[in-house]
Amino acid sequence: MTARPIAARATLRLAALMALAVTVLSLGAMALQYRLVETRLMTAQRSLLTADLDGLAALYDQRRIIALRQAIDYRATAATGDEMLLLMDRNGTTLAGTRPDWPADLAPAGEGFTSDNAITFTEGSTRWLAVARTLPGGFPLLVARSLAPVDDTLAALRRGMLGLLGALLVAGGLVGGLAARSVMARINRINDLADRVAEGQLDARLPGARSDDEFGLLETHVHAMLDRIQNLNRATHRLSDTIAHELRTPLNRMLQKLAKIEGQDDLTADLKAEMRQAIRMFDSLLDISRAEADQGTGGGLVPVDLSTVATEVWDLYEPLAEDKGLITEMRTIPGLTILGDRNLIAQVLSNLLDNAIKYCAPGDSLTLTLTPDSDRILMRVADTGPGLPDDLKAEAFDRFTRAERDRATPGHGLGLALVRAIAARHGARLTLPPTEKGFALEIRWPRLQQSD
């Protein structure tokens, strides 16, 4: 199967996007909750501050500064650190309080015992909500409530939210990953099937029962489409096979009758050549059909020394290539064995070398290499001839595919189609690697592992 990069997997991107969306929504909800909790806590502290001010106001209405001083002295002895009280005279001398001096950078503002204009200030590491007033006669009064409980609660809330956010990210990643893995497994089943069909296995189908969901419906549609394609392909091949078989016999009879015609040797020779070419085309079509019919069966395949077959075929075609002025080279390793049909393998090499010699010009090079490649044997035939036009590479292995420039050259465009059919018969992989000049074809034959 063709490797697919992670970045190309839309399912993973969709899962990541959904996890991100859930995280963003959760962050928004947590931010709103944080703001509500903060508002409630500050409202509670402001209520406590207002209650303190109301109590001091009642005392002030009764006995003025004396009552305030006595009350602040009493509360200072029982202070818990959550409140700040301070009363000073007009000269800045402390009359009573929980601290000896007035906080720096805090100026009295406003009038009366109300929490209007309450301000926050920080002293040390503690924030305070304070009301600073100047009472009649020039007596500064400070009443403040510590915001440490609020800050501690909000800090704990932030830690909890961060932990929850981390848990959401992990859970989202796990759930998204599992969902993506499940979906990718279903998609990869169909991709594997598509890869096998692209390699020529039109009878390939997905194993197992299909589920009652969208993927099951998609698999059903794909199977129905492949059945239709396979039926059409069989009908087309049957038609071509029937035509090839039925016309081959009358053409042979015509050749025999032409041999009896006298006095028109040139005409009969031309007719015989045309008819022999037509017979060769029909033979090639029948060979292709037989190879495709046997594909995947494994029947009739025996151990074959691929190195020996390649050397024998090369020895037949090398003199022809040299006579045409080609520069030839063969590189192989002896003893490379596959499970195959010797005649079909020789036919593959004959087609490839014959095509190369046919289309190359004097001075071009022709090479045949045979090398082990992991569990396969790489056969490469390359030349520096005109090569395939770019617009034909996608359909190079289709029947009757020929470039316009080659119409004058004898041939029917069946050579590569036969090569593909024979390669598929042996379970070999066929590729057209890119070349700077000319044409190259690589066949990776399954290597026969010799037992010790």
Side-chain angles (χ1 to χ4, degrees), residues 57-86:
L59 293 173
Y60 183 79
D61 289 340
Q62 295 175 7
R63 298 174 59 196
R64 302 296 177 184
I65 297 298
I66 296 175
L68 284 180
R69 182 175 181 178
Q70 291 175 347
I72 291 174
D73 269 338
Y74 174 77
R75 291 179 61 175
T77 58
T80 60
D82 289 339
E83 61 181 355
M84 183 185 294
L85 298 169
L86 182 60

Side-chain angles (χ1 to χ4, degrees), residues 84 99 103-104 106 119-123 126-130 142 144:
M84 183 185 294
R99 55 178 298 148
L106 181 63
I119 60 174
T120 59
F121 72 96
T122 302
E123 188 173 59
T126 304
R127 289 194 313 137
W128 296 85
L129 178 65
L142 173 63

Side-chain angles (χ1 to χ4, degrees), residues 92-116:
T93 301
T94 300
L95 300 178
T98 59
R99 55 178 298 148
D101 56 354
W102 191 268
D105 301 326
L106 181 63
E111 297 178 355
F113 291 85
T114 66
S115 59
D116 297 339

Side-chain angles (χ1 to χ4, degrees), residues 12-26 165 168-177:
L12 290 177
R13 294 202 302 271
L14 180 59
L17 182 62
M18 293 177 63
L20 179 62
V22 171
T23 302
V24 170
L25 289 175
S26 300
L165 177 60
L168 281 174
L169 289 174
V170 173
L174 288 176
V175 173

Side-chain angles (χ1 to χ4, degrees), residues 138-160:
F139 292 89
L141 173 67
L142 173 63
V143 181
R145 275 280 171 178
S146 173
L147 295 180
V150 175
D151 293 339
D152 291 343
T153 302
L154 292 178
L157 184 60
R158 287 195 298 271
R159 288 192 296 271

Side-chain angles (χ1 to χ4, degrees), residues 251 255 269-280 412:
L251 284 173
L255 278 175
D270 291 340
L271 289 173
K272 287 178 181 179
E274 291 290 340
M275 296 172 73
R276 289 193 185 98
Q277 190 174 358
I279 291 172
R280 283 195 296 271
H412 303 287

Side-chain angles (χ1 to χ4, degrees), residues 408-436:
T409 304
H412 303 287
L414 294 172
L416 290 181
L418 179 58
V419 169
R420 181 180 66 173
I422 295 175
R425 167 83 171 91
H426 290 77
R429 299 171 184 169
L430 205 62
T431 56
L432 293 175
T435 57
E436 294 183 4

